[in-house]
Amino acid sequence: MSSSFDYGVIDKVVASIGAKAGSIIPILQGVQERYNYLPPECFPYTAKKLGVSEARIYGVATFYENFSLRPKGKFIIKVCDGTACHVRKSIPNLERLRKELGLSEKKITSDDLGFTVQTVACLGACSLGPALTVNNEVYANMTPDKVSELLGSLKVKLARGAA
């Protein structure tokens, strides 16, 4: 077990809502909010606190797409590839992001854990396409050049520790 994992995150949720099977999702949400993914240390500890199997905790974590078992970057960029954005050329934006960050379809997070780039089916911003989000903030009418500018400003924030 890692000494850098803060078990207090789990303890806080359990203290506020109780140690019951229904606490699994809020506990996992609290852990992911803190770490941007679910570190392996959270599974046995949560199982013990709730008196359920580790497999049950893991099953919940893998069932819901919102949970991640792999570390994500400080900036999570979601590129819309829904129909409206796709026909307005969202793919060149995705390609620019991947090229500048050294990412691919399989490698979605930068080595420094600064950036994670994902595609999504729809952001619900169809009239603003091609759109993307950075940590849930929408950026509209994006072009590859605008993507490069945005990445530049995000890299400055990352260097300052202001993610």
Side-chain angles (χ1 to χ4, degrees):
M1 301 237 177
S2 169
S3 60
S4 63
F5 182 78
D6 179 7
Y7 296 96
V9 172
I10 295 169
D11 294 336
K12 255 188 231 176
V13 176
V14 170
S16 70
I17 65 172
K20 53 191 182 275
S23 304
I24 295 171
I25 291 174
I27 288 170
L28 296 179
Q29 288 171 327
V31 171
Q32 185 158 296
E33 188 175 303
R34 169 79 182 272
Y35 293 98
N36 264 351
Y37 82 111
L38 299 174
E41 295 89 344
C42 77
F43 296 105
Y45 190 76
T46 302
K48 186 175 180 187
K49 289 291 272 187
L50 302 183
V52 300
S53 71
E54 215 174 308
R56 182 161 181 198
I57 308 294
Y58 186 80
V60 171
T62 56
F63 178 79
Y64 293 102
E65 194 174 314
N66 193 46
F67 292 124
S68 176
L69 301 180
R70 294 180 16 209
K72 289 190 174 186
K74 292 188 186 328
F75 291 111
I76 298 172
I77 303 171
K78 295 180 181 177
V79 179
C80 183
D81 195 33
T83 303
C85 287
H86 186 84
V87 299
R88 292 184 181 135
K89 310 256 188 265
S90 62
I91 296 303
N93 295 333
L94 175 63
E95 290 169 346
R96 178 71 63 97
L97 284 164
R98 287 178 175 163
K99 181 180 178 190
E100 290 194 22
L101 295 171
L103 302 176
S104 67
E105 191 174 330
K106 293 206 186 301
K107 181 183 179 192
I108 64 167
T109 300
S110 60
D111 292 335
D112 64 358
L113 296 180
F115 299 91
T116 294
V117 176
Q118 303 171 297
T119 57
V120 294
C122 185
L123 290 172
C126 301
S127 65
L128 304 176
L132 60 81
T133 63
V134 178
N135 295 350
N136 297 316
E137 182 179 338
V138 177
Y139 291 82
N141 303 308
M142 294 302 287
T143 64
D145 288 342
K146 286 182 180 179
V147 164
S148 292
E149 288 176 33
L150 176 60
L151 270 180
S153 68
L154 294 175
K155 286 177 180 179
V156 168
K157 286 182 181 179
L158 196 60
R160 290 184 184 150

